[in-house]
Amino acid sequence: MNWDTIGAIGEIIGALAVVVSLVYLAAQIRTQNKEARAAAAHDIYEGFRDVMGTFADRDNAEVLARANEDVNSLSEVDRIILISCVQRLMRLWEEAYHQHRQGRLDDEIWQSMVDQYASFLANASGAHIWKIRKNYFTPGFREFVATVNITEHTYK
């Protein structure tokens, strides 16, 4: 065996090692992307549970119920409670919107969230807070919310 043959075999082995490394790297990146999507979904769900917990508080639930009957009948303190609770919920939806746009939130999860939030916007309190606070959200999210058909949803 001469040195040229040994050199050629070395180059072939080196090229194969590079290909194997690239395949391994691609598999690792794919796994990392799956885990990032799962973590994003988990964080959004956890945030949603936390925000919905504020509405489980009896006082906040009463404010929400009164606002759904007549938002203008609320006291100033009740308006502040309503705005802060609903705006927290909307911020979480905006975060989910951006996660979905960046490919970190699956379409199936995103669509279920859209349905949930649309039902919230279909009630008087959600619609009112969105109307008076929507300018505090990113333009892309505002444009998206404008495309959501809330008439198909009811808040229950």
Side-chain angles (χ1 to χ4, degrees):
M1 197 181 275
N2 65 26
W3 286 109
D4 289 335
T5 305
I6 293 172
I9 291 172
E11 286 181 25
I12 292 171
I13 291 172
L16 286 175
V18 168
V19 170
V20 168
S21 295
L22 290 175
V23 168
Y24 176 76
L25 181 62
Q28 290 298 100
I29 290 172
R30 187 176 308 123
T31 299
Q32 184 180 9
N33 286 340
K34 275 182 166 179
E35 289 180 14
R37 283 193 301 276
H42 174 76
D43 290 347
I44 295 295
Y45 282 143
E46 186 175 334
F48 185 76
R49 284 189 302 271
D50 289 346
V51 171
M52 291 309 290
T54 63
F55 292 110
D57 175 81
R58 185 167 198 72
D59 293 336
N60 293 344
E62 287 176 1
V63 169
L64 180 64
R66 284 196 319 264
N68 283 334
E69 292 297 318
D70 181 10
V71 74
N72 295 318
S73 70
L74 296 179
S75 70
E76 189 63 26
V77 170
D78 287 345
R79 285 177 201 241
I80 292 169
I81 291 169
L82 179 68
I83 289 169
S84 66
C85 289
V86 172
Q87 193 161 328
R88 278 184 68 203
L89 188 65
M90 298 305 294
R91 272 292 167 214
L92 185 61
W93 191 19
E94 181 182 39
E95 181 182 349
Y97 165 79
H98 290 294
Q99 293 286 346
H100 180 256
R101 281 188 39 146
Q102 294 171 3
R104 292 190 198 121
L105 201 57
D106 293 334
D107 290 341
E108 183 178 30
I109 293 170
W110 171 242
Q111 188 55 54
S112 70
M113 293 185 78
V114 170
D115 292 341
Q116 177 78 43
Y117 280 94
S119 71
F120 193 76
L121 282 175
N123 69 61
S125 59
H128 175 73
I129 300 306
W130 178 248
K131 180 180 175 184
I132 66 171
R133 294 292 182 173
K134 68 182 175 185
N135 290 332
Y136 297 128
F137 294 86
T138 60
F141 180 65
R142 289 193 314 255
E143 290 171 16
F144 167 74
V145 172
T147 68
V148 175
N149 185 357
I150 63 169
T151 58
E152 295 178 0
H153 299 85
T154 57
Y155 182 70
K156 295 185 180 183

